[in-house]
Structures are given as structure tokens and as C-alpha cells.
Amino acid sequence: MSQSKSASLLDARILVPALGDAFRKLNPRSLARNPVMFVVAVVSALTTILLLRDVATGGANIGFSLQIVLWLWFTVLFANFAEAVAEGRGKAQADSLRRTRSETQAKLLKDDGPDYTTVPGNSLRVGDVVLVEAGDTIPSDGEVIEGVASVNEAAITGESAPVIRESGGDRSAVTGGTQVLSDWIRVRITAAAGSTFIDRMIALVEGAERQKTPNEIALNVLLAGMTLIFVLATVTIPSFTTYAGGAIPVIVLVALFVTLIPTTIGALLSAIGIAGMDRLVRFNVLAMSGRAVEAAGDVDTLLLDKTGTITLGNRQASEFRPVQGVSEQELADAAQLASLSDETPEGRSIVVLAKEKYGIRARDMQSLHATFVPFTAQSRMSGVDVDGTSIRKGAVDAVLKHLGGMPDASRPKADTIREIQAIADAIAKTGGTPLAVARDGRLLGIVYLKDIVKGGIRERFAELRRMGIRTVMITGDNPMTAAAIAAEAGVDDFLAQATPENKLALIREEQAKGKLVAMCGDGTNDAPALAQADVGVAMNTGTVAAREAGNMVDLDSDPTKLIEIVEIGKQLLMTRGALTTFSIANDIAKYFAIIPAMFLAFYPQLGALNIMGLATPQSAILSAIIFNALIIVALIPLSLKGVRYRATGAASVLSRNLLIYGLGGILVPFAGIKLIDMALAAIGLA
Amino acid sequence: MTFNGWIQILIFCGIVILLVRPLGGYMTRVFTGERTLLTPLFRPVERGLYRLAGTSETEEQHWTTYAAAMLFFNLAGLLALYLLLRFQGALPLNPAGMAGLPPELAFNTAASFVTNTNWQNYGGETTMSYLSQMAGLNVQNFVSAATGIAIAVALIRAFARRSARTLGNFWVDLTRSILYLLLPICVAGALVLVWQGVPQNLGPYTIATTLEGVQQTIAQGPVASQMMIKHLGTNGGGFFNVNAAHPFENPTALTNLIHMVAIFAIGAALTNVFGRMVGNQKQGWAIFAAMGILFLAGVTLCYWAEASGNPLLHAIGLDGGNMEGKETRFGVTLSALFAVVTTAASCGAVNAMHDSFMALGGMVPMINMMLGEIIIGGVGAGFYGILLFVVVAIFVAGLMVGRTPEYLGKKIEAKEVKMAMLAVLCLPLAMLGFTAIAIVLPTGVASIANAGPHGFSEVLYAYTSATANNGSAFGGLSGNTPWYNITLGLAMLMGRFLVIIPAMAIAGSLVGKKIVPESAGTFPTHGPLFVGLLVGVILVVGGLTFFPALALGPIVEHLAMLAGQSF
């Protein structure tokens, strides 16, 4: 989160419309979503009627009643304002998304033929195939079935660098509203108008479809229960005081009631939820439901793909290790020749290493009349044939198998095989990948490909461990390599030779133990695991199937973000708990302000409870209700930003928060109410 | 307060603490069906009872079945006791010739004993036949206590089991708690009491001529057998009207100690049963510690108030603590301690008159009950009561560690919170609601003996005691009127069953949940932090609810006394 982004918290462009929304939200139907504030609104309306009656009949203390009524309404308005501010940022983002959704024309293809008719984008149906050419906007979500194109996805990711979309593989999904920059693609439409990815994004960031999350529902139940308890505590007072020979004005009872019920958290609850989703959006992560954000806070096990998350995406050649009788130079020369046409990052790194370490220059393949033998899944080797010699490089067992099929004379000797295997094992044990190189059936040696573990990742995992989260590395490597990298990166466990099936099995196994699992993935074969995981983050570059299966989409396609997602989830829950504690703890001071003031007329002895030394009974009651309203405004920034999160164990997080929000919640209102009382006495309002 | 006084209090605490582990271990074996020392003796009886009832001990019940069995059993008990009391005049074992009870009083008494409250709107020796005392009241003393224990055990199983459907069998838990737990301790204890001078006979009252030549009727009967269960089962219904202040109920310092230890024994041991069944005894000790802190705070305040005495009396030269309404053989310390013990544990037996306590001294028993009888609490009831507060505390604080709140690996979600709030809510509803009505009705006010805030305290105490199923009375209030008989009876039923049913619903929901394994991210619930949190939540939630009422009762009375005014 950059500083400039968080500074926009109190942006006038959000605050000004939010003021209007605060009044618009007085609509009973929108208030009814929030039980605590609904109750406050009802009693505010009731006291307003009583006030009007008093004005009409010329009752006493109208100035005091008027102030109470005004502050009651302010309490409701402040709550609405908090929600409106939280929604404001989402609205701004939704507006910019909506602009991209402007009417597009689609080139609808007829029965596989090259002919197309131009139709409006919103008339497309699922299964239609459209042609999108350079400069066209992709009319709806779909899957590329033919062609390759560079696409500008800035509309959804904010990232202006174009990305490649091509048929087949894991880069086949395109999003409606994004623009093709070059070349052309044929796209099979996978979403009908109104339910595209952008439509869903707009609805999500705007909070239009916001449903209460399970934890929010539970908290609302608690707050409603507390409210009922305080209903009982206040409605019984008139009868008690009648027995004592006194009477309490309704407006004072209402003031006591409203200050006691948990208005602070009631007012800020939905703002906290919206802000949590919004923090994710600012991280360019789109949660499909608030439930997923909450689940993120509960995650016990993180499944992280090795490549791209734990290690830098690509392995790099770091050493040439020849067998006896072969020089390093000779091995480097052969390896370089075999890699010249190999466009994979590994291949390129071999060429780079050969040049840097042995000064072997690039040669022109064409002039050598060389033919490149590409890598296939069957041979698991690549290489080059030049002037009758053939050079092959590949996985050690694949190369050995290839040599085993040669005529007896050119087969490698048993002790060479032993030697090569010893080198390979030594490399695998350190987490590297051995690549065998052979020329004309003769084993030359091994290229040591090294996995580079990302800087700082080890510390992140230690942090996660302190938070009680287990990390599991997922890799296709063999167990020995995986173990070495796991040890270097500091993950708790690893799954080697991972397949979609055993990934799914691992998730199920963890879940059977009662754990919540988070993972990220992009390929179609990740879809079942993404769906099974409690938090499945699909990469935006991924396939349609993966995006459908996950409950979050990362627009930046950065798998490391899983860690931030977990932190945001935790922060959301912590903020709720902290403000609830604060809200309830506040009641102690409010009692000490209002109870003596209420009963003073007939039990003057209770003046001893006025430990804050508030000026008059009226100023005491007013100060309490003013504090109660103002604290909502004061806490809006905290509810939007969330309480500070530290990656430490639960016990220390709790004791810290209890100290700040529990003890602070007891003490702050004593000071606050006293200060407001002094101010009121100074201005002469009470 | 004296050093000697504190030594007595600490001896009592020490004995209770020493009992927790062995009794908890024994109870765990009983309720998990393991073999105990008494198995050879009671096993055949137990089997026979199951055969008679047509149930099987391997047949487990879903929470709804469990709760329905409990409700059916208690309803049947309520009816049977009501009829017995109404018609005791025509039934045997009635040497004093007591007449049947009027309907309201019979309802109140039946509700009182079925709910383990033992509020007594009658004087035992002047109202009850021996048959009513033994077959009616004393039977309920056993089964109401056993009902509470059964519910607590079912709730404990909900935490201990993972992804299960059932909570045990009500009939089995009920039978086992009576056979293996209540009966043996009561038989042994009653014999000790007899040795100390508590009567146990079925003879008619003795007519004696005193030294002054006045005729005196000395009431007696099967007292010892009722005394032991009255305390062990936290029932509290005395054989005699003045309860444990009567020399035949509580003749010596030793019987006084036995009574107090018996009141706390099972409730305290249940925390250990909990710890053992969830696989970590520290979890039980944490809850015990929270109870202990609240208990010691209450004892300190009450003992201080009583030992300080009344400044108005000091002014006229009467020094010393407040001895009004206290037995000289117990004195200030043991009277204050007994008052706190009996109200902390929902027992309701008294060895001094709470009405005569200082305003703040009398407020302590009231607060103990208002918090819902969770400081040790009624047998079983105290434990499931405090677990409701644990649910609330864990829910609020658990969020602050950034996870969906969980207790012992079970997630606390909307359903649990809803049920816990329902149960917590029924306390102020009945306590404050009924008081608010009674205090403005002429028929309610007519029963009040004292003026001003003290009179208010008497009514508040009555409904608080009834709802909390405590049964001790503040005195001063003539409760045997149709209004109080009926409303107090309703308060007792609400305070019992409107807590049990939500607690069972929570058990039903929790037992089906998986157990999330503990990690560094889990909020530890066996340390001082949790204990402090639980105490804080209990005081804030309970205290805030009742602060206005307390301000208008004991607090203003205390402040008035300091200003020289008494009521």
C-alpha cells in the first residue's frame, strides 16, 4: 500500500458526496440493515415527536431536549456518513470501470467461416465465436480458440504493459472491456451480457451486492443482544424511580439508552467490512465474497507454488560439471551450441554462463547448417544436429535412456554412468536441477541449474509461522530437490512431484484435520484444487476455469500476494473485535456520567458517584451523548484503515489490543466526557 | 477484618482446591463409563434401572432428544411434587398433622425444588409433612442436582467430541450422577452430621418444659439426610425455616465447614471434568481461576463491609462488626463467607440473615446472583452458565487476534452467539422485569417490610434469587402471597429452562463441528490473559446490566448510611 493511496482516505472527492449520502441513508429500508442504528433512529424519531409536543404545549427544558434530540440524529447521521465514506472509494473505482464497459461492437463469426456480421456487444450469447482484431475492444469475457494477440488489460489491472493472450494453455482467458493491441484472435464467449467479469467487479467494488458475512452476522447478533439487555436495563428504571418517589423524563432515559447500546461498533461495522474489501481491491485483488476475506484471516495452511512465489521464476545455469576426461571448456561449448536456439530461460542462461565464464561467443545457427531439436514431453530433451554430430541436453534419466538405445559401441561405460549419477545426486541434494549433456552418444557432463530463492522470503515465512500459519511448497521437482529448496526457503513442508490430484488430496487431508487452506493457481488443472481450497486465489492471467473456481482473483497475477491477503483478512476481524471491545468498555464511564445525574433529584446521595465532577446533571447527560456521537466520527479513520497488524503470536496480539481498546475504552470516555462537559459549561449550553 | 478470619477463609479455599482434582477425576470416570471403586456395588442397580426405564446405556441422544428427555423428566417431577404437596394432609408420615398446601404455594414450592432453587415461601417445620420433606422435596434435591450435572456433562462432551451428532444419554447421565456421585457422598456425609448432633428421626416433635416453666415445641425429623444433599446439590432448601442458622441443621463449626465445602465441591470439580474430557486440565483450571477471582473479590468486599460494621452504631459507642442477624457461634467471618459461598454457588442455604447485612455486604450476594450464578455456581448450572459467558468473551476477544473466534478448536459462530445471548438475556428479563412490575403494584409493595432503598433491595433480591435459582431470601419480604408465589415460581422456571435450552442448542451445534488444531495463531485459553478477559467480560456484561438497579438499592442505601440515614 503506497503512502499516496492511503492518504486518499480523507479525500474531499469522497467526503463531500458522503455527506449527502449520510442523509440519503436515513431511508428506513437502508437503516433496517443495521439493528443498532435502526433502534437509535427509532428512538430519535420518538423523542423528536415528544419535543414537538413540548414545544406546542410550552413544556420546560426545551433547550436541553432540543440539544439531546439533535445529537441523537447526529449519531445516526455519523453512522451513515461512516458507511458512505467507506463506499465512496469503491464507487469511484466502479465509475472508471463503467466507462470501459461502454457500448462495443462485436464481429460475430458465422459457422467457422471467415465471414462475420457486426452486432452490438451486449447481444452476444454464451458459445458465440467472435473475431477481435488490433484496435478492437473485446466485447465480452471469453476464451481464445485461435490466434495470439497482445492485449491491453489496463482497464482491470491498471497495468499499462500489454499481455499476451493465446489459444490453448494457461493464457487463453480474455476479459470483456480489454483491448487487443496487435494481431487477431478468435474468442468463444463464456459470459452473457451483465454477468461478465467487469460487471461482477463493478458490483463488488460498489458494494451493491454486499451481503453480510458469517462473522458480521454473528457480531450483529451479539450487538442486538446487548441492545436488548440495555432495553431491559432502561425500561425498568421508571418503575424503580416511581417506587423511590421520583420521575425521570423520557428524553433522559433515551439518552442513557443510546449511550449504553453499542452504537460505536454498530455505526462502524459495515464501514469496516467495506474497507476490508477495499483494501484488497487496492492490492489489485478481487474477492468474490466477503466470506472469502474472512476465511483468509482464518487460514492455517498456505499452499504456495515454488516457481514464481518462493523462487524466482526461472532456474539459471550456474556451473558446468564435466565427467573425467572432459574439460569444462568442452562441456560448455557443447552445452552452448545445444542451447543457442533454445528460447527457454534456462537455455538462455546456459548461453550467458558459457559466454561470461568461458568466453564462448554466440554462433550463427544458420551458417552452421544446424537443425534444432526442440524439447518434447516424450523425449524430455532438446538439442541440435550439426555436421553429423548430435548434441542432446535434458533430464539425466532421459539422456541416459536416449543413450541406452544407441548401438553397443557408443553406449557410455558403467563407471561413467555412475559418475554422472553421483554428480546429479549431489546437485539435486542442494536443490539444483542437473541437466545432462551428451555429444554423439558420449556423456560430457552436467549443467548445474540453480533455483534462486527470492530475497526476504525466508523472513516472510518466519512471520507466517509466528502467526500460526503453516506453509507448504508445491513443486513438480523430485523430493530431493524439493527438500533442499524447502530448507533454503524455510517453508514448513513441501509436496514434491505435485500433480493436480495429489494437490487436491493434500487440501482435503488438511481440511479433514480441521484446517483452512489457501492456495493460488492459474491453470485449468488447478481449478479443482482452487475450488476445494477455502481461499482460492486465481491469477488474472489464468484460464477461465481457474478464475471461476477461485473465490478471489489477483489482477496482478502475483502469487506472493497470498500472504498479504491473509493479513488483510486478519486485520478485518481484528478491527471488528477491537471496536466492539472499545464500544462496550465505554459504557462504564457513561454510567458514571448519567446515573448520578438522573437520580440526583430524589437521591442526592448518589452525587458521590459523579466522580468526574461534571458541572450539572444536564451537562453530564449532554456530554455523554455528545461523546457517544463524536467518537463515531473520531474512529472512522481507524475503521477504514484497520487496526495495526503485527505478525506475532495470538497471545501478544491479544494482550496488546486488550490494553489499547479494552483499557483505553474504559479510560478514554472519562477524559472525553469531562472535556466536553467543561466546554459546554464554558459556552453556557448547559 | 482479622488475621484469624482470613485464615479461616483460606482454609476453606484450600480444602476446595484440594478436592478439585480427585473429585474431578472420579466424576470423569463415572461419566465416561469407566470402572470406579463403587462400580461393583452399584453396577447391578444401574443395569436394573435402565432395564426398568427401557433405555440402553449405549443409546446416544441428539441434543433435541436429550433436552426433550430432560424437560419431560422435570415436568413430570413438577406435577408429582405439586400433587404431593396439595394432598399431603391425606397421606402418611405426617405425625404433626400438616394440611395440604394452597395451590399457589404448592406451585411455587414445586417450581422451586424442581429448578434447584429451593426458594421457601413456607416454614419447613410448620408446613411440611415428613413424607413431603423426604419423598417430595428431598427427591427433587437429588434429581434437580443430577439434571444440572447431566446438562453440564452434555455440554462438555460437545467440546470434547469432534464432528459427532450425539451428546450422550440423559437417562444414563442422570442415573450415574445420582448413584455414583450424590448418594454415596450424602450417605457418608449425613453420618458425620449425625455424629455432630444433627437429628435424623421420624418421631413427632418433642414438647419440653423450659427452666422458666414455658412449654416449648422442639421440631425435628429426618434432618441429616436432607442437609447433605441440600448443600452438595446446591439446593439450599432448609428443613427448618431459619435454614443453616438453626442449631439442628448446623450445630458446630465443623458442620459449617462441611456445608460450605459441600456447596462448592461438585461445581468446582466440574471444571476439572471439563479439563480432563477436552484433554487439557489447564483449560479447566483457567475457568476455575476466573471463578476463584470473582469469589475472592466478593468475599473480601462482604467480609470488609460486615467486619467494618455500622458507623451509626459506632457513633453511639457500639463498636465492632455488624452482628445483627448473625449467629454468635459463626460470627462475622463465617457468616460473611457462608453468604458469599451460598450465593456464588446458587445454593441458597443461609447461616445468617442477609437482610441484616450492611448495604454493601448484602450487595455482594445480590451481584453473585445477578451475574447468573457462575462463580462455581449451582451443580452443573454454574458450569454451563460460565461457558455461556466464555462464548461471549471468546467471540469478542477472539476477533482481536484476527481469526474467527474459536474455543478449544470449535468455531464460535452466529448460532452459538445467538443462543448465548438468549440465555444471558433471560436473566435481566426476569430479574429486572418482575421487580419493575412488583415494585409499582399495590399487592407487590404491600409485602415489603422496610422503607426506601432497603425495601427495594428486598424485592430485587427476591426476583434475582429466584431467577438465578439460588433460593436464598433477603428476608423482610412476605413472599407467601398469590402474586409472589406465582411470579417467583415463573422467574425460577425461566431462569432454569430458558438457560438450559439455549445451552443445549449450543452443545448440539458445537458437537458437530470439527476441531481446528491449535497453532501459534490460536488464542490460548488456559493462561492468565484468558482468565482476566473472562472476569472482565462477566463483570462488564453483568455489571452494566444491573448498575442502575444496584444504584437505587444497596449503593444509595450505603451512601445514605454514611450521611446518617438508615432504612
Side-chain angles (χ1 to χ4, degrees), chain A residues 264-323:
Chain A
T264 314
I265 177 65
L268 298 172
L269 188 55
S270 64
I272 295 169
I274 297 166
M277 295 280 271
D278 194 55
R279 269 197 295 281
L280 275 179
V281 170
R282 268 182 296 151
F283 262 101
N284 262 351
V285 174
L286 217 55
M288 295 301 158
S289 69
R291 185 187 286 259
V293 187
E294 259 168 31
D298 285 352
V299 161
D300 301 283
T301 308
L302 273 187
L303 303 190
L304 297 167
D305 273 330
K306 182 196 78 174
T307 310
T309 312
I310 295 169
T311 60
L312 293 172
N314 314 307
R315 287 173 289 207
Q316 291 179 351
S318 72
E319 220 179 304
F320 296 106
R321 291 200 188 163
V323 293

Coordinates of all heavy atoms in Angstrom, one line a residue, chain A residues 264-323:
Chain A
T264 N -21.1 2.6 18.8 CA -19.8 2.9 18.2 C -19.6 1.8 17.1 O -19.3 2.1 16.0 CB -18.7 3.0 19.2 OG1 -19.1 3.8 20.3 CG2 -17.4 3.5 18.6
I265 N -19.6 0.5 17.6 CA -19.3 -0.5 16.7 C -20.5 -0.7 15.7 O -20.3 -1.0 14.5 CB -19.0 -1.9 17.4 CG1 -18.7 -3.0 16.5 CG2 -20.0 -2.3 18.4 CD1 -17.5 -2.9 15.6
G266 N -21.7 -0.5 16.2 CA -22.9 -0.6 15.3 C -22.8 0.3 14.2 O -23.1 0.0 13.0
A267 N -22.3 1.5 14.4 CA -22.2 2.6 13.4 C -21.1 2.2 12.4 O -21.2 2.5 11.2 CB -21.9 3.9 14.0
L268 N -20.0 1.6 12.9 CA -18.8 1.4 12.0 C -18.7 0.0 11.4 O -17.8 -0.2 10.6 CB -17.6 1.7 12.9 CG -17.5 3.2 13.4 CD1 -16.3 3.3 14.3 CD2 -17.3 4.2 12.2
L269 N -19.6 -0.9 11.8 CA -19.5 -2.3 11.4 C -19.4 -2.4 9.9 O -18.6 -3.1 9.4 CB -20.6 -3.1 12.0 CG -20.5 -4.6 11.8 CD1 -19.2 -5.1 12.4 CD2 -21.6 -5.3 12.6
S270 N -20.4 -1.8 9.2 CA -20.4 -2.0 7.8 C -19.3 -1.3 7.1 O -18.7 -1.8 6.1 CB -21.8 -1.7 7.2 OG -22.0 -0.3 7.3
A271 N -18.9 -0.1 7.7 CA -17.7 0.6 7.1 C -16.4 -0.3 7.2 O -15.7 -0.4 6.2 CB -17.5 1.9 7.8
I272 N -16.3 -1.0 8.3 CA -15.1 -1.9 8.5 C -15.1 -3.0 7.4 O -14.1 -3.2 6.8 CB -15.1 -2.6 9.9 CG1 -15.0 -1.5 10.9 CG2 -14.0 -3.6 10.0 CD1 -15.2 -2.0 12.3
G273 N -16.3 -3.6 7.1 CA -16.4 -4.6 6.1 C -16.1 -4.1 4.7 O -15.3 -4.7 4.0
I274 N -16.6 -3.0 4.4 CA -16.4 -2.4 3.1 C -14.9 -2.1 2.9 O -14.3 -2.3 1.9 CB -17.3 -1.2 2.9 CG1 -18.8 -1.6 2.9 CG2 -17.0 -0.5 1.5 CD1 -19.7 -0.4 3.0
A275 N -14.4 -1.4 4.0 CA -13.0 -1.0 3.9 C -12.1 -2.2 3.7 O -11.0 -2.1 3.0 CB -12.6 -0.2 5.1
G276 N -12.4 -3.4 4.3 CA -11.6 -4.6 4.2 C -11.6 -5.0 2.7 O -10.5 -5.3 2.2
M277 N -12.7 -5.1 2.1 CA -12.8 -5.4 0.7 C -12.0 -4.4 -0.1 O -11.3 -4.8 -1.1 CB -14.3 -5.4 0.2 CG -15.2 -6.4 0.8 SD -15.0 -8.0 0.1 CE -16.2 -7.9 -1.2
D278 N -12.1 -3.2 0.3 CA -11.5 -2.1 -0.5 C -10.0 -2.2 -0.4 O -9.2 -2.0 -1.4 CB -12.0 -0.8 0.1 CG -11.6 0.4 -0.8 OD1 -12.0 0.3 -2.0 OD2 -10.9 1.3 -0.4
R279 N -9.5 -2.6 0.8 CA -8.0 -2.8 0.9 C -7.5 -3.8 0.0 O -6.5 -3.7 -0.6 CB -7.7 -3.2 2.4 CG -7.4 -2.0 3.3 CD -6.6 -2.4 4.5 NE -7.4 -3.3 5.3 CZ -8.4 -2.9 6.2 NH1 -8.7 -1.6 6.2 NH2 -9.1 -3.8 6.9
L280 N -8.3 -4.9 -0.2 CA -8.0 -5.9 -1.2 C -7.9 -5.4 -2.6 O -7.0 -5.6 -3.4 CB -8.9 -7.1 -1.1 CG -8.7 -8.1 0.0 CD1 -9.8 -9.2 -0.1 CD2 -7.4 -8.8 -0.2
V281 N -9.0 -4.6 -2.9 CA -9.1 -4.0 -4.2 C -7.8 -3.2 -4.5 O -7.3 -3.2 -5.6 CB -10.4 -3.2 -4.4 CG1 -10.3 -2.4 -5.7 CG2 -11.6 -4.1 -4.3
R282 N -7.4 -2.4 -3.5 CA -6.2 -1.6 -3.7 C -4.9 -2.4 -3.9 O -4.0 -2.0 -4.4 CB -6.0 -0.6 -2.6 CG -6.7 0.7 -2.9 CD -6.6 1.7 -1.8 NE -7.2 1.3 -0.6 CZ -6.8 1.6 0.6 NH1 -5.8 2.3 0.7 NH2 -7.5 1.1 1.6
F283 N -5.0 -3.7 -3.4 CA -3.9 -4.6 -3.7 C -4.1 -5.3 -5.0 O -3.4 -6.2 -5.3 CB -3.9 -5.6 -2.6 CG -2.9 -5.4 -1.5 CD1 -3.2 -4.8 -0.3 CD2 -1.5 -5.6 -1.7 CE1 -2.3 -4.5 0.7 CE2 -0.6 -5.3 -0.8 CZ -1.0 -4.8 0.5
N284 N -5.1 -4.8 -5.7 CA -5.5 -5.4 -7.0 C -5.9 -6.9 -6.8 O -5.7 -7.7 -7.7 CB -4.3 -5.3 -8.0 CG -4.5 -4.2 -8.9 OD1 -5.5 -3.5 -8.9 ND2 -3.5 -3.9 -9.7
V285 N -6.5 -7.2 -5.7 CA -7.1 -8.5 -5.5 C -8.6 -8.3 -5.4 O -9.1 -7.4 -4.7 CB -6.6 -9.2 -4.3 CG1 -7.3 -10.5 -4.0 CG2 -5.1 -9.4 -4.4
L286 N -9.4 -9.1 -6.1 CA -10.8 -9.0 -6.1 C -11.4 -10.2 -5.4 O -11.2 -11.3 -5.8 CB -11.2 -9.0 -7.6 CG -12.4 -8.1 -7.9 CD1 -12.1 -6.7 -7.5 CD2 -12.6 -8.2 -9.4
A287 N -12.0 -10.0 -4.3 CA -12.6 -11.1 -3.5 C -14.1 -11.2 -4.0 O -14.8 -10.2 -4.2 CB -12.6 -10.8 -2.1
M288 N -14.4 -12.4 -4.4 CA -15.8 -12.6 -4.9 C -16.8 -12.5 -3.8 O -18.0 -12.4 -4.1 CB -15.9 -14.0 -5.6 CG -15.0 -14.1 -6.8 SD -15.5 -12.8 -8.0 CE -14.0 -12.6 -9.0
S289 N -16.4 -12.7 -2.5 CA -17.4 -12.5 -1.5 C -16.6 -12.1 -0.2 O -15.4 -12.3 -0.1 CB -18.1 -13.8 -1.2 OG -17.2 -14.8 -0.6
G290 N -17.3 -11.4 0.7 CA -16.7 -11.0 1.9 C -16.3 -12.2 2.8 O -15.4 -12.2 3.5
R291 N -17.1 -13.3 2.6 CA -16.8 -14.6 3.3 C -15.4 -15.0 3.0 O -14.7 -15.5 3.9 CB -17.8 -15.6 2.8 CG -17.8 -16.9 3.4 CD -18.7 -17.9 2.7 NE -20.1 -17.6 3.0 CZ -20.8 -18.3 3.8 NH1 -20.3 -19.3 4.5 NH2 -22.1 -18.0 4.0
A292 N -15.0 -14.8 1.8 CA -13.6 -15.3 1.4 C -12.6 -14.5 2.2 O -11.5 -15.0 2.6 CB -13.4 -15.2 -0.1
V293 N -12.8 -13.2 2.3 CA -11.9 -12.3 3.0 C -11.7 -12.8 4.5 O -10.7 -12.8 5.0 CB -12.3 -10.8 3.0 CG1 -11.2 -9.9 3.6 CG2 -12.6 -10.4 1.6
E294 N -12.9 -13.1 5.1 CA -12.9 -13.6 6.5 C -12.1 -14.9 6.6 O -11.4 -15.1 7.5 CB -14.3 -13.8 7.0 CG -14.8 -12.7 7.8 CD -16.2 -12.7 8.1 OE1 -16.8 -13.8 8.1 OE2 -16.8 -11.7 8.2
A295 N -12.4 -15.8 5.6 CA -11.8 -17.1 5.6 C -10.3 -16.9 5.5 O -9.5 -17.6 6.2 CB -12.3 -17.9 4.5
A296 N -9.8 -15.8 4.8 CA -8.4 -15.6 4.7 C -7.8 -15.4 6.0 O -6.6 -15.8 6.3 CB -8.2 -14.4 3.8
G297 N -8.5 -14.7 6.9 CA -7.9 -14.5 8.3 C -7.8 -15.7 9.1 O -7.0 -15.8 10.0
D298 N -8.6 -16.7 8.7 CA -8.6 -18.0 9.5 C -7.6 -19.0 8.9 O -7.5 -20.1 9.5 CB -10.0 -18.6 9.4 CG -10.9 -17.9 10.3 OD1 -10.5 -17.0 11.0 OD2 -12.1 -18.2 10.2
V299 N -7.0 -18.7 7.8 CA -6.2 -19.7 7.1 C -5.1 -20.3 8.0 O -4.4 -19.6 8.8 CB -5.5 -19.1 5.9 CG1 -4.4 -19.9 5.4 CG2 -6.6 -18.9 4.8
D300 N -5.0 -21.7 8.0 CA -4.0 -22.3 8.8 C -2.8 -22.8 7.9 O -1.7 -23.0 8.4 CB -4.6 -23.6 9.5 CG -5.8 -23.2 10.4 OD1 -5.5 -22.7 11.5 OD2 -6.9 -23.4 9.9
T301 N -3.2 -23.1 6.7 CA -2.1 -23.7 5.8 C -2.1 -22.9 4.5 O -3.2 -22.7 3.9 CB -2.4 -25.2 5.5 OG1 -2.6 -25.8 6.8 CG2 -1.3 -25.8 4.8
L302 N -1.0 -22.5 4.1 CA -0.8 -21.8 2.8 C -0.1 -22.8 1.9 O 1.0 -23.3 2.1 CB 0.1 -20.6 3.0 CG -0.5 -19.3 3.4 CD1 0.5 -18.2 3.3 CD2 -1.7 -18.9 2.4
L303 N -0.7 -23.1 0.7 CA 0.0 -23.8 -0.3 C 0.5 -22.8 -1.3 O -0.2 -22.1 -1.9 CB -1.0 -24.8 -1.0 CG -1.8 -25.8 -0.1 CD1 -2.5 -26.8 -1.0 CD2 -0.8 -26.5 0.8
L304 N 1.8 -22.9 -1.5 CA 2.5 -21.9 -2.3 C 3.2 -22.6 -3.4 O 4.0 -23.6 -3.2 CB 3.5 -21.1 -1.5 CG 2.8 -20.2 -0.4 CD1 3.9 -19.6 0.5 CD2 2.0 -19.1 -1.1
D305 N 3.0 -22.2 -4.7 CA 3.8 -22.8 -5.8 C 5.2 -22.4 -5.6 O 5.5 -21.2 -5.3 CB 3.2 -22.3 -7.1 CG 2.1 -23.2 -7.6 OD1 2.1 -24.4 -7.2 OD2 1.2 -22.7 -8.2
K306 N 6.1 -23.3 -5.9 CA 7.5 -22.9 -5.7 C 7.9 -21.9 -6.7 O 8.4 -20.8 -6.4 CB 8.4 -24.2 -5.9 CG 9.9 -23.9 -5.8 CD 10.7 -25.0 -6.3 CE 10.8 -24.8 -7.9 NZ 11.8 -25.7 -8.5
T307 N 7.6 -22.2 -8.0 CA 8.1 -21.3 -9.0 C 7.3 -20.0 -9.0 O 6.1 -20.0 -9.1 CB 7.9 -22.0 -10.4 OG1 8.5 -23.3 -10.3 CG2 8.6 -21.2 -11.5
G308 N 8.0 -18.9 -9.0 CA 7.4 -17.6 -9.0 C 7.0 -17.1 -7.7 O 6.9 -15.9 -7.5
T309 N 6.8 -18.0 -6.7 CA 6.4 -17.5 -5.4 C 7.6 -17.6 -4.4 O 8.0 -16.6 -3.8 CB 5.3 -18.4 -4.8 OG1 4.3 -18.5 -5.8 CG2 4.7 -17.7 -3.6
I310 N 8.2 -18.8 -4.4 CA 9.3 -19.0 -3.5 C 10.6 -18.7 -4.2 O 11.5 -18.1 -3.6 CB 9.2 -20.4 -2.9 CG1 7.9 -20.5 -2.0 CG2 10.4 -20.7 -2.1 CD1 7.6 -21.9 -1.6
T311 N 10.7 -19.2 -5.4 CA 11.9 -19.0 -6.2 C 11.6 -18.0 -7.3 O 10.5 -17.8 -7.7 CB 12.4 -20.3 -6.8 OG1 11.4 -20.8 -7.7 CG2 12.8 -21.3 -5.7
L312 N 12.6 -17.3 -7.8 CA 12.5 -16.5 -9.0 C 12.0 -17.5 -10.0 O 12.4 -18.6 -10.1 CB 13.8 -15.9 -9.4 CG 14.3 -14.8 -8.4 CD1 15.7 -14.4 -8.8 CD2 13.4 -13.6 -8.4
G313 N 11.1 -17.0 -10.9 CA 10.5 -17.9 -11.9 C 11.4 -18.9 -12.5 O 11.1 -20.1 -12.6
N314 N 12.7 -18.5 -12.8 CA 13.4 -19.4 -13.7 C 14.7 -19.9 -13.1 O 15.3 -19.2 -12.3 CB 13.8 -18.7 -15.0 CG 12.6 -17.9 -15.5 OD1 11.5 -18.5 -15.7 ND2 12.7 -16.6 -15.7
R315 N 15.0 -21.1 -13.4 CA 16.3 -21.7 -12.9 C 17.4 -21.2 -13.8 O 17.2 -20.9 -15.0 CB 16.2 -23.2 -13.0 CG 15.4 -23.8 -11.9 CD 15.2 -25.2 -12.1 NE 14.4 -25.5 -13.2 CZ 13.6 -26.6 -13.3 NH1 13.6 -27.5 -12.4 NH2 12.9 -26.8 -14.4
Q316 N 18.5 -21.0 -13.3 CA 19.6 -20.4 -14.1 C 20.9 -21.3 -14.0 O 21.1 -21.9 -12.9 CB 20.0 -19.0 -13.5 CG 18.9 -18.1 -13.8 CD 19.2 -16.7 -13.3 OE1 20.1 -16.5 -12.6 NE2 18.3 -15.7 -13.8
A317 N 21.5 -21.5 -15.1 CA 22.7 -22.3 -15.1 C 23.8 -21.6 -14.3 O 24.0 -20.4 -14.4 CB 23.2 -22.4 -16.5
S318 N 24.4 -22.3 -13.4 CA 25.4 -21.7 -12.5 C 26.8 -22.4 -12.6 O 27.8 -21.8 -12.1 CB 25.0 -21.7 -11.1 OG 25.0 -22.9 -10.6
E319 N 26.9 -23.5 -13.3 CA 28.1 -24.3 -13.2 C 28.1 -25.4 -14.3 O 27.1 -25.9 -14.6 CB 28.3 -24.9 -11.9 CG 29.7 -24.9 -11.3 CD 29.7 -25.6 -9.9 OE1 28.9 -25.2 -9.1 OE2 30.5 -26.5 -9.8
F320 N 29.3 -25.6 -14.9 CA 29.4 -26.8 -15.7 C 30.2 -27.9 -15.0 O 31.3 -27.5 -14.6 CB 30.1 -26.4 -17.1 CG 29.2 -25.5 -17.9 CD1 29.6 -24.1 -18.0 CD2 28.1 -25.9 -18.6 CE1 28.8 -23.3 -18.8 CE2 27.3 -25.0 -19.3 CZ 27.7 -23.7 -19.4
R321 N 29.7 -29.1 -14.9 CA 30.5 -30.1 -14.2 C 30.8 -31.3 -15.1 O 29.9 -32.2 -15.3 CB 29.7 -30.6 -13.0 CG 29.7 -29.5 -11.9 CD 29.4 -30.2 -10.5 NE 29.1 -29.1 -9.6 CZ 28.5 -29.3 -8.4 NH1 28.1 -30.5 -8.1 NH2 28.4 -28.3 -7.6
P322 N 31.9 -31.3 -15.7 CA 32.2 -32.4 -16.7 C 32.6 -33.7 -16.0 O 32.9 -33.7 -14.8 CB 33.5 -31.8 -17.4 CG 34.1 -30.9 -16.5 CD 33.1 -30.4 -15.6
V323 N 32.4 -34.8 -16.7 CA 32.9 -36.1 -16.2 C 34.4 -36.2 -16.5 O 35.0 -35.3 -17.2 CB 32.2 -37.3 -16.9 CG1 30.8 -37.4 -16.5 CG2 32.4 -37.3 -18.4

